[in-house]
């Protein structure tokens, strides 16, 4: 069957309105469930690293590649999704994404050693990178502007709850089973989602023959790959001198990204860009997209340092750490539908501004943690931090993509995904590097390991608090889009 034959039905064969709505709800529901599975898998690996280091007899630096390789792959694949979502229809893209994810999960579960496990994670990441832009683009095509806030609220449940319960589920599994069960338990769920989606998902977009620029793909892979690799290497360089300075791939990556951007600017004149830069010329898209990047930078840094502080300083187990982080994520998910409905009614500013202020205040409060800080204080702080994020993410997603014409939905979602991955890598690298360097200096002054670790984490949170000020300022400039289907 050709791609063209899979397009939406002609006008005279359209289903009845009630059938059309039922089809749309089914498509969105299946995409939400599948996205939940792939995002959940992204976070269950964190607390498993000590188990993997012992079982595979690898160092912490090597084990970290299970996360770094995942982020690298996401940064490389996401820019290509804009082209895929234009050229292919909903069903084949979904099958491709979930097949890659399921295949990577199987490879990881059966991996005889570290190298094959990394390969499995890369294949998993390839599918994960496609799912989120596919979900976002489908929502923008199916949901009318006046209802997008509520629908984006449901998406926020997936985005927030899945990462929150990942560490808890991982802790529960690892307390009784081998690390391979992290993949073996996910595999049947992924296969079921793949089978159900292949059976039930119908095509809801009209594919077009968009030629792909052969040069743009390697430029994207090399540029974003080198840049994220360099950012990840900054934290490692703070511990010991690497073979290759992380500044080399950073500079190379930045230069190649510049060439990639110039290439896209040239190609978009003929609607042939791999990642259309015209999305950034729309202020109503660019401001919330930049704000989301700032939030991801701070959030990733916090999420990687909090478990270190809770386990290495406060002495919590991996399961206790996961349980402490669970309420915040669940509350974020519970808030999401209400926030989405409020966005539809009042717009983004009444939500985003207090959310940004709350987020910034909590970031500043984390700069006062001590080796004896109360468990309950950390729990409350994380819950309030999660509420601040919940007030922002749904309005920002909706406002950014809603500001675009329908022809740029796929490119807009790919742009947001790419900037989030790079910002997340930057935040992780910055926070880890600051923590390590400050902690090493404190150790040289003769303080205890717990005090040195706390000093390093406190300084890293200070950097995040400064970054959060930019989010507060930008929050006042987020606008509710008129509808999105306008001409450039």
């Amino acid at each position: 069957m050709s791609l063209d034959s899979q397009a939406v039905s002609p006008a005279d064969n359209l289903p009845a309105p009630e059938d059309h709505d039922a089809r749309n709800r089914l498509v969105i529901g299946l995409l939400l469930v599948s996205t939940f599975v792939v995002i959940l898998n992204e976070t269950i690996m964190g607390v498993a690293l000590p188990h993997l280091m012992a079982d595979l007899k690898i160092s912490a630096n090597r084990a970290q590649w299970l996360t770094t390789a995942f982020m690298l792959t996401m940064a490389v694949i996401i820019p290509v999704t804009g082209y895929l979502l234009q050229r292919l229809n909903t069903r084949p893209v979904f099958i491709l994404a979930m097949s890659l994810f399921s295949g990577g999960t199987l490879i990881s579960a059966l991996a005889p050693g570290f190298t094959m496990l990394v390969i499995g994670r890369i294949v998993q990441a390839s599918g994960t990178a496609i799912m989120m832009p596919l979900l976002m683009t489908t929502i923008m095509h199916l949901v009318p502007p006046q209802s997008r806030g509520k629908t984006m609220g449901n998406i926020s449940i997936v985005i927030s709850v899945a990462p929150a319960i990942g560490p808890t589920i991982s802790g529960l599994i690892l307390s009784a089973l081998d690390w391979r069960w992290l993949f073996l338990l996910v595999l049947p769920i992924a296969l079921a989602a793949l089978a159900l989606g292949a059976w039930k998902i119908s095509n809801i977009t009209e594919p077009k023959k968009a030629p792909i620029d052969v040069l743009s793909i390697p430029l994207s892979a090399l540029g974003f790959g080198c840049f994220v690799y360099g950012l990840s290497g900054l934290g490692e360089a703070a511990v010991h001198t690497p073979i290759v300075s992380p500044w080399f791939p950073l500079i190379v990556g930045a230069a190649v990204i510049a060439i990639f951007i110039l290439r896209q600017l040239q190609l978009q004149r003929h609607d042939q860009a791999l990642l259309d830069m015209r999305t950034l010329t729309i202020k109503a898209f660019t401001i919330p997209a930049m704000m989301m990047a700032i939030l991801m930078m701070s959030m990733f840094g916090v999420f990687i340092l909090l478990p270190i502080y809770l386990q290495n300083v406060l002495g919590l187990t991996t399961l206790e750490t996961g349980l402490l982080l669970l309420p915040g994520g669940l509350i974020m998910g519970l808030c999401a539908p209400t926030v989405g409905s409020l966005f539809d009614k009042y717009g983004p500013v009444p939500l985003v501004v207090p959310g940004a202020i709350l987020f910034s205040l909590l970031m500043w409060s984390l700069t006062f943690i001590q080796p004896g800080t109360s468990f309950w204080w950390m729990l409350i702080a994380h819950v309030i931090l999660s509420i601040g994020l919940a007030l922002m993410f749904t309005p920002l997603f909706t406002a950014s993509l809603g500001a675009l014409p329908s022809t740029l939905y796929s490119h807009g979602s790919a742009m947001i995904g790419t900037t989030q991955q790079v910002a997340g890598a930057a935040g992780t690298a910055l926070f880890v590097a600051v923590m390590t360097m400050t902690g090493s200096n404190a150790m040289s002054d003769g303080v205890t390991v717990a005090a040195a670790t706390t000093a390093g984490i406190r300084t890293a949170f200070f950097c995040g608090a400064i970054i959060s000020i930019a989010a507060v300022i930008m929050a006042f400039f987020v606008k509710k889009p008129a509808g999105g289907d306008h001409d450039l």
Side-chain angles (χ1 to χ4, degrees):
M1 182 180 292
S2 68
L3 289 171
D4 292 334
S5 66
Q6 295 181 15
V8 291
S9 303
D12 56 351
N13 291 323
L14 284 174
E18 57 273 15
D19 295 335
H20 190 268
D21 292 341
R23 181 206 67 174
N24 290 351
R25 287 194 297 270
L26 178 62
V27 171
I28 293 173
L30 287 172
L31 289 177
L32 279 171
V33 171
S34 302
T35 305
F36 181 89
V37 173
V38 299
I39 295 180
L40 173 69
N41 175 80
E42 189 174 355
T43 59
I44 62 175
M45 288 298 296
V47 299
L49 291 183
H51 296 262
L52 290 164
M53 290 164 58
D55 190 57
L56 300 178
K57 297 179 176 58
I58 57 176
S59 65
N61 289 331
R62 291 194 69 196
Q64 192 60 41
W65 271 101
L66 293 170
T67 300
T68 302
F70 201 100
M71 296 180 72
L72 278 170
T73 306
M74 292 278 284
V76 168
I77 297 294
I78 286 177
V80 185
T81 60
Y83 165 79
L84 287 177
L85 294 175
Q86 282 190 309
R87 183 66 180 88
L88 303 178
N89 220 319
T90 311
R91 187 169 175 269
V93 173
F94 174 84
I95 293 174
L96 172 64
M98 290 307 295
S99 296
L100 286 170
F101 178 80
S102 301
T105 303
L106 179 61
I107 293 171
S108 300
L110 302 178
F114 174 74
T115 301
M116 191 57 66
L117 182 56
V118 171
I119 292 174
R121 289 286 286 169
I122 290 173
V123 177
Q124 274 188 324
S126 301
T128 303
I130 298 173
M131 277 305 302
M132 183 56 73
L134 173 62
L135 174 62
M136 291 296 184
T137 303
T138 302
I139 293 294
M140 298 307 294
H141 276 288
L142 294 184
V143 180
Q146 65 271 19
S147 303
R148 285 174 183 165
K150 183 178 180 180
T151 305
M152 286 295 185
N154 294 329
I155 293 178
S156 295
I157 296 177
V158 170
I159 296 172
S160 57
V161 173
I165 68 174
T168 306
I169 292 176
S170 182
L172 286 170
I173 294 174
L174 294 173
S175 65
L177 299 170
D178 181 73
W179 62 265
R180 295 181 186 276
W181 285 95
L182 295 175
F183 303 103
L184 290 172
L185 293 177
V186 169
L187 182 60
I189 302 174
L191 290 174
L194 171 60
L196 187 59
W199 177 34
K200 289 291 187 179
I201 283 185
S202 54
N203 297 318
I204 49 84
T205 58
E206 182 76 54
K208 61 180 181 180
K209 296 181 178 180
I212 189 166
D213 181 56
V214 178
L215 181 59
S216 293
I217 295 179
L219 284 176
S220 169
L222 181 62
F224 290 106
C226 284
F227 193 75
V228 175
Y229 175 78
L231 290 173
S232 302
L234 289 176
E236 184 180 342
V239 180
H240 59 80
T241 303
I243 298 176
V244 178
S245 170
W247 291 106
F248 177 75
L250 266 176
I251 293 172
V252 172
V256 175
I257 289 173
I259 297 172
F260 173 79
I261 292 174
L262 291 174
R263 180 70 175 169
Q264 302 317 297
L265 291 174
Q266 182 184 40
L267 292 171
Q268 71 189 24
R269 299 172 187 169
H270 310 287
D271 291 325
Q272 296 178 359
L274 185 66
L275 195 60
D276 202 313
M277 297 293 152
R278 284 177 291 183
T279 55
L280 299 179
T281 65
I282 301 173
K283 186 179 178 181
F285 170 84
T286 303
I287 290 177
M290 289 176 60
M291 191 173 169
M292 277 191 285
I294 291 172
L295 292 177
M296 292 296 288
M297 180 179 291
S298 297
M299 190 177 72
F300 267 66
V302 169
F303 285 176
I304 198 170
L305 292 193
L306 267 185
I308 295 175
Y309 172 76
L310 294 172
Q311 294 179 44
N312 296 354
V313 178
L314 298 188
L316 303 184
T317 65
T318 53
L319 179 57
E320 289 170 338
T321 300
L323 291 174
L324 184 145
L325 299 176
L326 181 61
L330 293 178
I331 289 174
M332 192 188 304
L334 292 173
C335 289
T338 302
V339 171
S341 298
L342 291 173
F343 172 87
D344 289 332
K345 189 173 183 179
Y346 299 107
V349 173
L351 299 166
V352 173
V353 170
I357 293 173
L358 198 61
F359 177 76
S360 184
L361 288 175
L362 261 295
M363 288 299 299
W364 283 105
S365 73
L366 290 174
T367 64
F368 296 100
I369 59 172
Q370 300 293 334
T373 299
S374 168
F375 168 92
W376 295 106
W377 189 91
M378 294 302 301
L379 175 62
I380 294 171
H382 184 258
V383 167
I384 297 175
L385 187 72
S386 300
I387 293 173
L389 291 171
L391 288 173
M392 291 185 287
F393 271 123
T394 296
L396 291 175
F397 270 117
T398 311
S400 59
L401 291 177
L404 298 175
S406 58
T407 53
L408 291 180
Y409 285 159
S410 59
H411 289 286
S413 59
M415 182 72 71
I416 290 174
T418 302
T419 54
Q420 284 185 340
Q421 288 301 312
V422 175
T428 300
L430 173 65
F431 278 52
V432 171
V434 170
M435 177 196 70
T436 304
M437 290 185 289
T438 306
S440 298
N441 292 335
M443 285 288 290
S444 64
D445 293 335
V447 302
T448 63
V449 174
T453 302
T454 303
I457 293 175
R458 197 164 51 229
T459 306
F461 284 153
F462 179 76
C463 295
I466 293 176
I467 294 172
S468 70
I469 295 175
V472 175
I473 296 172
M474 297 178 71
F476 289 92
F477 298 94
V478 178
K479 304 295 182 183
K480 185 175 183 178
D485 292 325
H486 54 271
D487 295 328
L488 284 172

